[in-house]
Amino acid sequence: MHDVPTLDMEQARALFRFAAQVGMAPKLFARTIRFDRALASRRNTPSRSWKDIIHELGYFDQADFIRERHAFAGLPPGGLVGEWDNIFFPADD
């Protein structure tokens, strides 16, 4: 039989406290931060390719990023162009 890794009580408490304070599990929080960094990078340097951005941030491939984009923004592959940039990052006035 295979050993299934288990969390000790201290680890479980830490995960629970994190979720209670932040409002989401640590893994989901890390995913949202990475997605936000991708959007910020594209906004700061629009000439930079999505491919370069997503690989720098550790996405496995384009499909991995597309799944994240759909999960967080509900957008199809071409959905983060043009006016969508301003929705996520309003211009400073």
Side-chain angles (χ1 to χ4, degrees), residues 27-74:
K27 186 173 181 177
L28 179 58
F29 181 75
R31 287 175 54 208
T32 59
I33 294 299
R34 181 171 70 163
F35 183 70
D36 184 61
R37 286 183 180 156
L39 295 177
S41 181
R42 179 63 177 205
R43 173 147 173 110
N44 292 338
T45 51
S47 61
R48 193 166 175 214
S49 74
W50 278 111
K51 185 183 100 179
D52 290 342
I53 293 168
I54 64 177
H55 285 131
E56 177 183 293
L57 293 172
Y59 286 97
F60 182 73
D61 57 13
Q62 181 180 1
D64 188 24
F65 179 68
I66 289 171
R67 278 188 297 276
E68 292 283 88
R69 178 173 41 200
H70 185 68
F72 292 125

